[in-house]
Amino acid sequence: MRIGVLISGSGTNLQALMDAIDAGYIPDAKIAVVISNRKSAYGLERAKAHGIPAECILKKDFEDEEAFNRAILERLRFYGVDLVVLAGYLSILSPEVVRSYPNRIINIHPSLIPAFCGKGFYGEKVHRAVLDYGVKITGATVHFVDEGTDTGPIILQRPVEVKEDDDVRSLAARVLEVEHQLLPEAVRLFVEGKLAVEGRKVRILG
């Protein structure tokens, strides 16, 4: 199984995937390419250090959003990607990309969807909203990507307690630890053919 990973930042979830593949936790899989929409994304350096092709595709180099996404799709096809993983990718994929990989694009989100998700909810903004609202439990969600924003079928979720003395940084750190467990687990289940999508529900087989 050839995996294409899209990133925008430091690439810690990318690192978790690379480590899981190296350890044999995700069998019969390899990361074929890492693509970033930001030159400064440290995840590109992580990929290069691992011998993985790493490319940067910038939105500003294209006339519109569709052309930008088409360029990403072309590179995914060039590398023969079977599964796309969004590992901290802070851009919305076009319908053309989503339709090209039906139920083959996985995203990780730092909350328990459908809470604190959708347009405008990403990164530290999610954790700030969680703290401002005063909820006692947050967490992380891995889901398939559809043409909405954080609206695709949910694969896995795991809770994280919100502590009385949490700030954005401390909460984000604990949620990130869970992300590093959850994303490789979801990718492993996909690679092993153990995920069945039935409408809005994802059944884990076996």
Side-chain angles (χ1 to χ4, degrees), residues 38 88-90 107-111 116-118 120-130 138-139 150 168-169 171-173 175-176 179:
R38 293 181 178 178
Y89 182 63
L90 303 180
N107 183 50
I108 182 87
H109 184 78
S111 76
F116 307 106
C117 69
F121 283 99
Y122 59 88
E124 290 191 351
K125 292 185 177 182
V126 175
H127 306 301
R128 170 57 59 197
V130 165
T138 184
D150 299 328
V168 168
R169 181 173 293 185
L171 181 58
V175 171
L176 192 59
E179 291 181 42

Side-chain angles (χ1 to χ4, degrees), residues 21-179:
I21 290 171
D22 288 348
Y25 178 71
I26 303 174
D28 302 320
K30 69 174 289 184
I31 297 176
V33 65
V34 172
I35 299 173
S36 174
N37 64 338
R38 293 181 178 178
K39 280 184 180 178
S40 60
Y42 184 67
L44 291 171
E45 301 306 315
R46 292 180 189 268
K48 291 173 186 175
H50 220 74
I52 297 170
E55 301 191 5
C56 183
I57 300 177
L58 302 176
K59 195 176 296 187
K60 69 179 182 63
D61 293 336
F62 299 88
E63 60 185 20
D64 57 28
E65 195 92 17
E66 292 302 312
F68 166 66
N69 275 275
R70 204 166 293 124
I72 291 173
L73 180 58
E74 188 278 327
R75 299 314 288 164
L76 293 172
R77 287 172 170 165
F78 175 82
Y79 283 99
V81 167
D82 305 299
L83 170 68
V84 180
V85 177
L86 310 185
Y89 182 63
L90 303 180
S91 186
I92 304 298
L93 294 177
S94 69
E96 182 182 4
V97 176
V98 174
R99 291 168 192 161
S100 297
Y101 288 91
N103 292 328
R104 288 190 292 143
I105 304 175
I106 288 176
N107 183 50
I108 182 87
H109 184 78
S111 76
L112 295 177
I113 291 175
F116 307 106
C117 69
K119 290 184 178 179
F121 283 99
Y122 59 88
E124 290 191 351
K125 292 185 177 182
V126 175
H127 306 301
R128 170 57 59 197
V130 165
L131 292 170
D132 288 347
Y133 203 92
V135 299
K136 305 301 183 185
I137 299 291
T138 184
T141 302
V142 182
H143 64 95
F144 284 114
V145 174
D146 61 10
E147 292 183 34
T149 305
D150 299 328
T151 56
I154 291 169
I155 301 169
L156 295 171
Q157 290 185 303
R158 197 156 293 160
V160 173
E161 180 185 2
V162 181
K163 298 181 179 180
E164 290 289 335
D165 60 350
D166 264 330
D167 57 18
V168 168
R169 181 173 293 185
S170 64
L171 181 58
R174 291 205 315 287
V175 171
L176 192 59
E177 287 181 11
V178 170
E179 291 181 42

